[in-house]
Amino acid sequence: MSLQAKLGDALTLEKPWSARESWRVFGIVAEFVEGTERLECIQPAISIFGSARTHPDHPHYQLTEAVARQLSDAGFSVISGGGPGIMEAANKGAFYGKSPSVGLNIQLPHEQRRNVYQDISQTFRHFFARKYMFIKFATAYVVMPGGFGTLDELMEALTLVQTGKTRKMPIILVCSDFWAGIIDWFHQVLIRDNFISPEDMDLIQIVDEPAQVVDAIFRYYETSGFEPSAAERNIQLNL
């Protein structure tokens, strides 16, 4: 078969896929619209991240539950990924607190188990739509120990704040022993090689106790308040 014939066959096969991709856009837009409308009432809110593999008897699970409970009682909605592990601990702590527990669930090839501690539950097919909601509605990021997914969320938050693509907010790492290695690497490699600036490290706070998380957030906003300014709202529109 000639190259021209093969190219013709490829273009013929491409047409149904192109149509499917075009229609897929409407599904993506629907997720953004539905998620935004559903979550508009939850502010101020804190997004909490951590491992889905952490069991309820693990100290990190219990610490996360305590952090979420104190945040909820302090008046913050708590947003998690809606699944097991640290996500469940975050939802559970908030569920028994005074403010809403929010789960942003994701459809996976092997279905994620939705935890039962959700006052508000929203399910997404697309990771990027879900990740947008974590950032858009967050007043602060609280990052517990976790794996690739947790590190992905942390690095995205740092990148968006560093580049001015979202409002500045506290990014709080909990469990100093867990985070010590990567923080040392930031200093010893990234700053040394000028991949980040020394002041970029000011974006991160590291704490160990639930009360320190709440105090860090209130201290950050004590002069500006939690409501985004007009300039910050414009930034969020371009997120």
Side-chain angles (χ1 to χ4, degrees):
M1 181 183 292
S2 69
L3 178 60
Q4 185 176 2
K6 290 181 179 179
L7 181 59
D9 287 346
L11 292 173
T12 300
L13 290 171
E14 184 182 337
K15 289 180 181 178
W17 287 102
S18 297
R20 286 181 62 185
E21 286 294 311
S22 298
W23 280 106
R24 180 170 170 266
V25 171
F26 291 100
I28 294 169
V29 171
E31 286 199 351
F32 277 101
V33 172
E34 184 178 356
T36 299
E37 290 184 348
R38 187 84 186 279
L39 302 178
E40 196 63 44
C41 64
I42 69 171
Q43 294 174 304
I46 310 297
S47 292
I48 298 182
F49 298 95
S51 174
R53 304 184 184 189
T54 305
H55 295 289
D57 59 353
H58 195 284
H60 290 163
Y61 184 106
Q62 297 159 11
L63 177 59
T64 305
E65 186 178 344
V67 168
R69 178 63 183 266
Q70 290 199 23
L71 287 169
S72 180
D73 286 342
F76 298 101
S77 299
V78 172
I79 307 172
S80 93
I86 294 297
M87 294 181 283
E88 179 181 280
N91 282 138
K92 184 178 180 181
F95 187 81
Y96 290 111
K98 297 178 180 178
S99 304
S101 171
V102 183
L104 304 184
N105 304 279
I106 184 71
Q107 294 180 6
L108 298 173
H110 302 286
E111 193 69 26
Q112 172 178 290
R113 176 177 64 81
R114 175 186 177 277
N115 72 68
V116 299
Y117 304 105
Q118 301 179 39
D119 298 304
I120 299 172
S121 179
Q122 187 70 23
T123 300
F124 296 85
R125 291 185 61 191
H126 303 96
F127 263 112
F128 57 88
R130 177 176 178 251
K131 291 171 76 172
Y132 171 84
M133 301 300 164
F134 281 122
I135 287 282
K136 176 177 174 59
F137 292 100
T139 301
Y141 254 43
V142 175
V143 191
M144 307 298 297
F148 288 156
T150 303
L151 294 175
D152 173 57
E153 296 290 354
L154 170 60
M155 295 307 168
E156 182 164 48
L158 288 171
T159 301
L160 291 171
V161 173
Q162 180 206 47
T163 57
K165 291 300 290 183
T166 190
R167 67 186 295 201
K168 289 185 177 180
M169 61 180 173
I171 300 173
I172 302 168
L173 310 186
V174 183
C175 294
S176 56
D177 287 348
F178 178 84
W179 296 108
I182 195 169
I183 295 300
D184 287 344
W185 184 73
F186 286 172
H187 282 287
Q188 296 170 10
V189 178
L190 298 188
I191 292 177
R192 181 199 67 195
D193 293 341
N194 295 316
F195 292 136
I196 64 172
S197 302
E199 55 267 24
D200 288 332
M201 296 302 298
D202 295 336
L203 299 174
I204 301 170
Q205 300 181 60
I206 305 171
V207 304
D208 289 293
E209 300 296 331
Q212 293 176 309
V213 176
V214 179
D215 290 344
I217 295 169
F218 276 109
R219 188 166 58 248
Y220 186 91
Y221 287 105
E222 64 183 352
T223 57
S224 61
F226 297 110
E227 188 68 21
S229 66
E232 287 174 333
R233 287 189 182 277
N234 284 331
I235 289 173
Q236 294 294 89
L237 288 175
N238 293 313
L239 179 60

